[in-house]
Amino acid sequence: MGENILLGLGKNPETKGDLTASRFRSVWSEGIEIPGFPVVTEDLETDILIIGGGLTGLSCAYELAERGMDFILIEKDRILSKTSGFSTGKITAQHGAVYSDIFHMAGRDAALALYNSQMEAMEIFKDYSEKLSVFDYYHEGNAVMFARTQDEGNIISDEEYALDKLGIEWDKAEIPFQKGARGIALKNQLGTNPVAYGAAIAGYLKDKGLKVFEGSMAHEEIEIKEGVHEVTVNGKYKIKCRKIIIATLFPAIDGNGNYFMRMYPMRSHCAAWKTDDFDPSMYITAKDPVRSVRYYKNGNDNYLVVAGETYPVGSDDKTDIKMKAIIEYGKNKFSVGEPQFIWSAEDFCPPDYLPFIGVISGKRDYRNVYVATGFRKWGLGFSVWTGKYLSDLIEGKTEENRFFSPQRKFIKAEPQALLKTIKSAFKNKHEVHVNPDDLRNDEGGIAVVKGKKVGVYKDKNGNLKYMSLKCTHLGCTLTWNELEESFDCPCHGSRYTRDGFIIEGPAVTDMEEEKYKE
């Protein structure tokens, strides 16, 4: 299981051509050392418990540490081992064609709340980077959205109109790799290395001897007694606290917020090539199929990063084709060869385009439990901004942002999340089955055994393991992800390794094993 977590993907290097495990890692981890932390081995007590060791949790920890506040951070796997290390590494107020939609759906103030948070995030990031001495790992450049077709041109026009109404400055932009394309740019946005940044925060916390733990999983239920929260870790140790920040991709604790009905999971693919070229600008298309293009400078090496092919988790068994489409785009547009890095990422998307950051629900028992989730494809900026915002909220220095409030109700938008979930669950029948005897060692898939579909895995010694295809979250039928060799839930985005261990939630337990007589 450890290999799958660290690489993000779990391919058998002897199979499936050139998409091998050794290359399933992001360019951001290249040359970056991430400090290690111990496992929780005793009962503990603190004022604030942070659950989640990605950039959101680390940003909260850094802010609280700088303010001298008492906290503990726990991460169930390794620090920075999940979504934070598999992004496109951009902090920008240019989130694709969203301002027009938000402006018409929720109004001017809601759209400006998004814009202002990302502008603030860039300033926070630069300030932290200076203090942490990682300023070599970011650059400023234009964030450009461009149109490849007339339809996308119309989307650009709508966005220009919205930006003008919001008073947001923009410029026309040329696209060097797409002649004649129409582009719109926001100036002075940031291209970053999220792993270098997160590792610097982790090093800061370790040097100060602060309480950070890895391999320490929080139980999904909280015991609340006289204002004190008690969280069980790894099934046996108790952490008592007065406040909780839930900073996991999907909330590790739901708190009656029903987040599985309010967000839909999306997955996308990335590739990176070493190149002699460099362009500080960052580009993204106005419409699907999305293509995101940027460059990254790591010391004397330059890298081209291309991302896209976004799709609902578990809805498409042609994931290998999607990755190949990204690779072919890079080859055709930029005359590069095979990529040195390929990776994938998962994000949860609220249908109104705005995150859930604040008090987790309206239930009285949860008034001191905070959550940060639903960042869509723009989690880096929200992660950085969340650290300061939630710290201010906990200290009573700011009011809750009503547009980001987890308790908000946007009637027009919320049913869309449930509808997308239902469509994803039934879109892909996954009728491609394997014969267990034909599997190579350390391979998995979906088989039909005694008339029933099951997950199957052949271990390194040739022993077969059969698993139920019922997701351990709410029982949806898992599908097979051919590219990443994982079992994925099309309903709510849980994912499991090819041998049935949980990769990411909302599920918190492994696939159930089934026994069959040979």
Side-chain angles (χ1 to χ4, degrees), residues 125-376:
F125 182 89
K126 288 189 285 187
D127 179 47
Y128 287 5
S129 294
E130 188 72 28
K131 292 176 180 177
L132 295 165
S133 299
V134 287
F135 39 79
D136 288 341
Y137 286 100
Y138 77 85
H139 71 268
E140 294 190 10
N142 294 339
V144 180
M145 180 172 64
F146 67 96
R148 297 162 295 188
T149 64
Q150 181 59 49
D151 186 29
E152 291 185 355
N154 294 335
I155 293 173
I156 295 282
S157 296
D158 291 342
E159 197 71 1
E160 290 173 347
Y161 175 82
L163 293 176
D164 286 340
K165 286 292 184 181
L166 296 169
I168 298 173
E169 294 185 4
W170 58 273
D171 286 319
K172 293 182 179 180
E174 295 183 355
I175 317 303
F177 54 87
Q178 188 90 23
K179 290 185 178 180
R182 178 181 173 190
I184 179 174
L186 298 186
K187 290 185 175 180
N188 303 319
Q189 310 295 291
L190 298 184
T192 73
N193 180 332
V195 174
Y197 177 74
I201 294 179
Y204 163 91
L205 299 174
K206 192 175 184 71
D207 290 344
K208 285 190 168 292
L210 299 174
K211 294 178 181 178
V212 178
F213 299 92
E214 296 179 315
S216 302
M217 182 175 177
H219 192 271
E220 57 187 326
E221 298 295 331
I222 308 173
E223 293 184 32
I224 304 172
K225 300 175 182 177
E226 298 180 355
V228 176
H229 301 76
E230 192 172 274
V231 176
T232 301
V233 177
N234 289 346
K236 58 181 178 178
Y237 300 110
K238 306 289 185 180
I239 298 181
K240 291 182 178 180
C241 58
R242 288 152 193 82
K243 295 178 175 65
I244 299 175
I245 296 174
I246 302 170
T248 49
L249 175 65
F250 186 94
I253 298 167
D254 185 79
N256 292 319
N258 295 320
Y259 290 94
F260 69 93
M261 295 179 64
R262 303 172 69 193
M263 304 186 293
Y264 51 91
M266 302 294 286
R267 199 151 185 85
S268 54
H269 302 303
C270 308
W273 295 259
K274 189 175 286 188
T275 178
D276 293 330
D277 300 326
F278 184 80
D279 180 352
S281 293
M282 299 160 283
Y283 305 89
I284 191 168
T285 56
K287 188 180 177 181
D288 291 335
V290 170
R291 292 292 181 268
S292 169
V293 176
R294 62 157 294 198
Y295 287 85
Y296 160 59
K297 185 179 289 290
N298 184 0
N300 295 323
D301 296 326
N302 296 337
Y303 291 92
L304 166 71
V305 179
V306 178
E309 289 294 322
T310 303
Y311 61 97
V313 174
S315 68
D316 197 327
D317 59 351
K318 304 299 182 184
T319 48
D320 53 338
I321 294 177
K322 288 182 174 295
M323 178 63 85
K324 288 175 181 177
I326 294 295
I327 294 172
E328 287 306 309
Y329 183 86
K331 290 179 177 179
N332 294 335
K333 290 290 185 180
F334 302 96
S335 300
V336 291
E338 294 298 323
Q340 282 73 45
F341 302 89
I342 48 180
W343 68 96
S344 302
E346 183 164 335
D347 300 276
F348 284 86
C349 307
D352 60 13
Y353 303 103
L354 300 173
F356 296 116
I357 309 173
V359 177
I360 194 167
S361 76
K363 299 292 183 181
R364 180 176 174 81
D365 284 347
Y366 293 99
R367 65 185 182 275
N368 288 319
V369 179
Y370 303 84
V371 71
T373 189
F375 293 170
R376 300 185 296 115

